[in-house]
Amino acid sequence: MSAHKILVIEDHKDTRELLKYNLASAGFDIAAAEDGQSGISLAEAFKPEIILLDLMMPGMDGLEVCRHLKSTPELSRIPVIMLTAKGEEIDKIVGLELGADDYVVKPFSPRELVLRIKAVLRRSGTPEPNAPKLWEREGLRIDFEAHQVDIDDEEVTLTATEFKLLTVLISGAGKVQTRDNLLDTVWDTHFEGYSRTVDTHVRRLRQKLGPYADWIETVRGVGYRFKA
């Protein structure tokens, strides 16, 4: 089996070299860029399976890079993990709204980063065991094996995390999914502060579902439920 391809976009040389070393040691195939524009060009050429993106970069910052990636059809499905500093809470939320799949706060351990990468790769891989191969209701059609969502015969692009979130909600239709349960099953994490990440992804998923947004119901103080 060939190694998973990861693109690192990080302007700080020491951090970039450390990431390259640790990820290569973990068995990944690594490419790296030192700024946003070259990172986009490298994404087009290298075709990574996941992108690690530093938020704070001179010139074209991480949010601009993320916005460009998610608005470019051939790049939009590549999962993005943002690398953030502790004080950048608003940037994390904005990044998630733009379509990033996850974030890791600096300083982080190599082990933590590898776990986050593997979790995102799982979300973009095989469907949930309890999910049907094909699910349809009114104008909403989901092909779980192809990772494709159609709304009124128009394909809608979801990130790997958004697709996993929708899969989990539909697989448990009619049942309340607490934020903690969603963190366990979608993000594979118990990290403090991630409940806000759940809310951000649900809000973004509802926007993409358009006329079917209200099929994801909010259970106040608990979590979310997909209408049975």
Side-chain angles (χ1 to χ4, degrees):
M1 182 183 294
S2 59
H4 291 294
K5 297 168 70 173
I6 299 180
L7 171 61
V8 174
I9 306 176
E10 163 69 61
D11 69 302
H12 192 273
K13 183 178 178 180
D14 290 345
T15 303
R16 187 170 64 251
E17 293 302 317
L18 186 63
L19 285 168
K20 287 168 61 179
Y21 172 79
N22 285 309
L23 294 174
S25 298
F28 296 111
D29 182 8
I30 308 300
E34 62 182 17
D35 59 68
Q37 194 60 59
S38 60
I40 290 171
S41 298
L42 194 50
E44 294 169 347
F46 184 58
K47 295 180 173 55
E49 293 165 77
I50 194 166
I51 294 173
L52 301 184
L53 176 61
D54 183 35
L55 275 186
M56 299 299 289
M57 295 187 293
M60 191 178 199
D61 67 15
L63 294 178
E64 290 182 78
V65 174
C66 188
R67 186 180 291 109
H68 180 91
L69 292 170
K70 295 304 176 181
S71 63
T72 304
E74 60 269 24
L75 302 176
S76 62
R77 292 184 184 273
I78 302 173
V80 173
I81 295 179
M82 298 180 301
L83 307 178
T84 76
K86 283 187 179 294
E88 297 166 2
E89 181 66 27
I90 187 63
D91 289 331
K92 295 173 197 169
I93 300 303
V94 172
L96 293 170
E97 291 284 7
L98 289 173
D101 290 85
D102 205 349
Y103 62 83
V104 176
V105 178
K106 299 177 182 178
F108 46 78
S109 71
R111 182 177 178 275
E112 175 193 341
L113 181 59
V114 169
L115 289 174
R116 306 282 356 118
I117 290 170
K118 289 181 176 179
V120 172
L121 288 171
R122 281 196 297 273
R123 295 202 287 272
S124 58
T126 56
E128 287 292 287
N130 296 330
K133 291 183 179 180
L134 188 67
W135 185 94
E136 291 184 83
R137 185 193 294 175
E138 297 181 23
L140 180 59
R141 181 180 186 275
I142 304 168
D143 186 329
F144 289 96
E145 291 191 330
H147 275 232
Q148 181 172 327
V149 177
D150 294 303
I151 295 179
D152 298 330
D153 297 321
E154 292 288 334
E155 184 177 355
V156 175
T157 300
L158 301 186
T159 68
T161 304
E162 290 163 355
F163 192 90
K164 179 72 176 286
L165 177 59
L166 181 59
T167 299
V168 170
L169 289 169
I170 287 177
S171 297
K175 299 178 182 178
V176 177
Q177 300 280 353
T178 67
R179 289 175 175 83
D180 285 343
N181 182 61
L182 290 172
L183 285 172
D184 286 343
T185 53
V186 178
W187 281 267
D188 298 335
T189 188
H190 300 278
F191 289 172
E192 185 179 349
Y194 261 57
S195 61
R196 198 166 168 189
T197 300
V198 175
D199 297 337
T200 301
H201 274 86
V202 168
R203 182 166 62 249
R204 185 173 172 83
L205 181 56
R206 280 174 169 158
Q207 290 172 349
K208 292 187 176 182
L209 292 179
Y212 309 107
D214 62 356
W215 288 2
I216 300 177
E217 302 175 313
T218 299
V219 181
R220 191 171 298 278
V222 182
Y224 299 95
R225 173 177 56 214
F226 196 88
K227 283 187 179 180

